[in-house]
Amino acid sequence: MEVRDTGHYTEEYIPGFVEKWDSLIDWERRRQSEGSFFVDLLRKRGVKSILDVATGTGFHSVRLLDAGFETVSADGSADMLAQAFDNGVRYGNHILRVVQADWRWLNRDVHGQYDAIVCLGNSFTHLFSERDRRRALAEFYAMLKHDGILVLDQRNYDAMLDRGFSTKHTYYYCGEDVAVEPEYLDDGLCRMRYTFPDDSVYHLNMFPLRKDYTRRLMTEVGFQHVETYGDFQHTYREEQPDFFVHVAEKEYRMDTADLGAAYSPAVTTARSYYNSADADAFYASVWGGEDIHIGLYEHPDEPIADASRRTVARMAARLGPAGEEAGTGLGESTVVLDLGSGFGGSARHLATEFGCRVLALNLSEVENARHRALNAERGLDDRIDVVDGSFEAIPFEDASVDVVWSQDAFLHSGNRLRVLQEAARVLRPGGQLIFTDPMAADGVPKTRLQPVLDRIHLDTMGSPGFYRRELAKLGFTPVGDDGGFAEYREQLVRHYARVLEETERQEAEGLGTKVSADYLTRMKKGLADWVRGGRAADLTWGILHFRR
């Protein structure tokens, strides 16, 4: 009970422990494990000035300064700040602006307002009373500009409390020669023991914050929207991440209540991924540029862009020309809703070739910006409306569109039935639903899909049987002699193999200057998993076509 006190941590970071802290972190291994996650996140939000309130020995302060951010470094431990100052010179030739400060009185000791406050290294768990936690969050909130963000991480105490301690030993405490484990754990205390090669032992006592509790406190002190990442990825498989990273936005949003409904955890996963600088550069450079979906290949070495555009043309041909009835085909009077429109290649094709009006709904603001720019270049602003949003909560009226179109997007939903229900809602009577989706083959055990599921951070995939069954319940009927599903499993294999080849080719020519090495490593593994799954007939793909 003696150590369950907010101020106790200042007694724990004694000089001997501080001197060993960097061997516990292992700066180089931690740099590799994090990649550019925080830098990308902050740049994407336009951040320039940062207050690092849990500087420790300076790892993140130095990385942020290296990336060009204006950074002030604060910590409650004078010994930690002294070590951080030395590390700033040693690792980056930076003179850190350091301030010793207690978070509960942060505004007293640190001046100014910032675009972002970062509280990293599991530091927030040093606060043992809810009153102190609320006070610290309120101080953070007050020191942020009107549209600022708070980035706060924590260990996955949910998993520790519910299932016992385990760790991938990958992301935070990366040193190979240090043993880290809990010596004692209950709902009010996690006492961690750190054992070093010289047999010296140190302890830190922390409050085991549960993830949802932390998120709730953030919203209750005024933060409007909180996104949570697991081990630098969006994931809500609670047992897997070692650490959570919360990103809380101060900016006031009139539609915050709607936002929570619109972006489910699975959709938020995809949104974060496609908003990343790595994904934007990769898909634009490698995956065909405008059409970022699976292609229909006439020969193995065909350019990805050509095969991808052939998919668009094949789908459009199935819809046929516009007739007298609404929803019977493509023409100038046709309103097409493109769900998951990406960079807009399909939307521009439909608007240019058929004169359609296209509503392009997509979750990635980064992709949407590129989409709008390409539309403007080609004079298509008057035919294509690019809308930020989720296909699980389509922001259009009932019976308002003639065609719902989508390419390789539904797999990113954790509630595909909801997507189909929304498509049915917005379609006019007689309207057509046409889409492609990488799917599990009917009857395949989930265990055989695990590598792909892990890659896309989902628990399930759709299947041809699932889509046929659920669409029938919603009143859809299949179109075509193929029963509404033209299967092209071999094209899935060919496409992912072709993208893998192109990735390796461009990597040899300098793709690494635009896309991080970590991203490329994970992408190549993911592509290989898709190819293996397709060749084993565990995965399939094709065009699904139904009428309302």
Side-chain angles (χ1 to χ4, degrees):
M1 299 303 296
E2 292 177 355
V3 299
R4 301 179 194 227
D5 177 75
T6 292
H8 188 73
Y9 75 94
T10 58
E11 302 174 28
E12 296 170 337
Y13 289 109
I14 59 177
F17 191 17
V18 170
E19 291 169 5
K20 296 177 182 294
W21 191 256
D22 288 335
S23 64
L24 169 64
I25 293 174
D26 192 329
W27 280 42
E28 184 54 37
R29 291 191 66 210
R30 184 164 178 180
R31 181 189 298 269
Q32 293 173 4
S33 70
E34 282 190 9
S36 59
F37 174 83
F38 290 112
V39 170
D40 290 344
L41 184 152
L42 294 164
R43 282 179 176 163
K44 184 181 74 175
R45 288 169 166 80
V47 168
K48 292 183 173 58
S49 60
I50 300 173
L51 175 61
D52 179 3
V53 295
T55 298
T57 58
F59 173 79
H60 284 108
S61 285
V62 170
R63 291 215 67 189
L64 294 171
L65 287 166
D66 284 343
F69 295 105
E70 302 167 12
T71 306
V72 173
S73 307
D75 201 278
S77 166
D79 290 318
M80 281 288 199
L81 284 176
Q83 183 75 18
F85 190 89
D86 291 342
N87 283 338
V89 176
R90 179 183 303 116
Y91 290 107
N93 199 30
H94 300 295
I95 303 299
L96 267 61
R97 297 165 58 194
V98 298
V99 182
Q100 185 175 2
D102 188 308
W103 297 335
R104 295 167 293 182
W105 297 277
L106 191 64
N107 283 264
R108 178 193 65 189
D109 299 325
V110 184
H111 303 290
Q113 286 192 315
Y114 298 84
D115 297 319
I117 290 177
V118 298
C119 181
L120 304 176
N122 197 42
S123 303
F124 197 66
T125 57
H126 287 311
L127 302 176
F128 271 85
S129 76
E130 180 166 320
R131 179 182 60 191
D132 287 340
R133 287 189 283 274
R134 289 181 180 275
R135 175 64 185 264
L137 287 172
E139 290 285 301
F140 296 162
Y141 187 92
M143 295 204 70
L144 286 170
K145 295 178 182 177
H146 74 281
D147 57 351
I149 61 169
L150 168 65
V151 183
L152 183 150
D153 70 7
Q154 64 169 100
R155 188 182 278 278
N156 184 355
Y157 291 108
D158 293 69
M160 293 174 63
L161 290 167
D162 297 338
R163 293 178 288 276
F165 177 73
S166 65
T167 177
K168 295 188 286 292
H169 191 61
T170 301
Y171 295 101
Y172 277 67
Y173 303 123
C174 300
E176 290 289 354
D177 56 354
V178 185
V180 182
E181 57 186 344
E183 186 174 271
Y184 178 84
L185 179 66
D186 65 25
D187 286 334
L189 173 66
C190 176
R191 179 175 174 82
M192 298 296 291
R193 180 175 66 242
Y194 304 84
T195 306
F196 293 85
D198 61 0
D199 294 328
S200 60
V201 176
Y202 299 89
H203 295 86
L204 288 178
N205 298 281
M206 293 160 283
F207 184 85
L209 293 165
R210 287 191 176 271
K211 183 200 73 177
D212 289 341
Y213 169 79
T214 305
R215 287 169 54 87
R216 176 171 61 81
L217 284 185
M218 288 176 160
T219 59
E220 289 179 356
V221 300
F223 288 101
Q224 289 290 299
H225 178 59
V226 182
E227 288 187 86
T228 298
Y229 301 73
D231 288 347
F232 316 122
Q233 305 171 63
H234 261 105
T235 175
Y236 282 78
R237 295 183 184 181
E238 310 298 333
E239 75 279 5
Q240 290 189 3
D242 282 347
F243 283 80
F244 292 117
V245 181
H246 307 291
V247 181
E249 300 177 0
K250 181 176 180 178
E251 183 176 14
Y252 182 71
R253 299 185 181 187
M254 296 295 291
D255 59 346
T256 300
D258 295 334
L259 186 66
Y263 292 104
S264 67
V267 171
T268 303
T269 301
R271 177 171 172 246
S272 173
Y273 172 77
Y274 286 108
N275 270 339
S276 71
D278 278 337
D280 184 55
F282 179 83
Y283 284 93
S285 300
V286 177
W287 204 289
E290 291 193 41
D291 297 305
I292 51 177
H293 49 255
I294 292 173
L296 292 170
Y297 292 78
E298 292 186 344
H299 57 84
D301 297 326
E302 186 173 15
I304 295 169
D306 293 352
S308 298
R309 180 48 56 93
R310 186 174 294 111
T311 305
V312 177
R314 185 77 56 86
M315 292 172 66
R318 287 190 65 120
L319 292 169
E324 294 183 1
E325 291 185 51
T328 60
L330 297 175
E332 292 184 1
S333 63
T334 307
V335 178
V336 179
L337 172 58
D338 184 358
L339 299 178
S341 54
F343 294 148
S346 301
R348 284 185 291 277
H349 179 82
L350 295 171
T352 301
E353 296 298 319
F354 303 96
C356 302
R357 180 183 173 221
V358 184
L359 307 174
L361 182 69
N362 195 52
L363 52 78
S364 167
E365 295 87 349
V366 172
E367 288 183 343
N368 291 345
R370 187 187 291 270
H371 185 171
R372 292 186 183 100
L374 290 169
N375 292 346
E377 286 178 11
R378 299 177 197 181
L380 293 171
D381 287 341
D382 62 331
R383 303 302 299 166
I384 303 173
D385 296 326
V386 182
V387 180
D388 299 339
S390 166
F391 46 35
E392 292 178 356
I394 296 174
F396 298 113
E397 299 294 328
D398 296 357
S400 58
V401 304
D402 303 306
V403 174
V404 172
W405 172 296
S406 183
Q407 292 180 263
D408 302 350
F410 291 175
L411 81 159
H412 291 300
S413 172
N415 188 352
R416 295 177 195 90
L417 176 56
R418 174 65 177 168
V419 177
L420 300 181
Q421 290 170 338
E422 282 289 273
R425 178 182 65 79
V426 298
L427 270 174
R428 294 177 178 136
Q432 299 183 75
L433 167 64
I434 189 164
F435 66 100
T436 62
D437 205 36
M439 296 171 284
D442 289 324
V444 173
K446 178 181 173 182
T447 53
R448 295 177 64 88
L449 306 171
Q450 203 59 54
V452 171
L453 292 172
D454 288 343
R455 168 66 181 163
I456 57 179
H457 309 296
L458 288 172
D459 291 322
T460 64
M461 297 179 72
S463 67
F466 164 80
Y467 284 121
R468 283 173 166 147
R469 181 176 63 252
E470 297 304 330
L471 287 169
K473 292 178 183 178
L474 292 169
F476 284 89
T477 57
V479 178
D481 297 336
D482 50 25
F485 177 47
E487 186 170 20
Y488 300 104
R489 181 180 62 81
E490 73 285 353
Q491 294 289 353
L492 177 144
V493 175
R494 182 171 292 178
H495 181 81
Y496 282 109
R498 185 72 185 82
V499 173
L500 180 55
E501 292 171 2
E502 183 66 14
T503 301
E504 291 172 338
R505 185 189 70 79
Q506 292 197 28
E507 190 174 16
E509 296 178 357
L511 182 61
T513 62
K514 296 187 286 186
V515 182
S516 72
D518 180 59
Y519 180 93
L520 290 174
T521 298
R522 288 185 283 113
M523 174 57 75
K524 288 186 291 185
K525 180 184 181 302
L527 292 168
D529 288 336
W530 281 102
V531 171
R532 280 191 291 270
R535 286 175 175 164
D538 295 334
L539 301 171
T540 191
W541 177 84
I543 300 172
L544 295 105
H545 186 192
F546 293 79
R547 188 182 298 278
R548 179 83 164 103

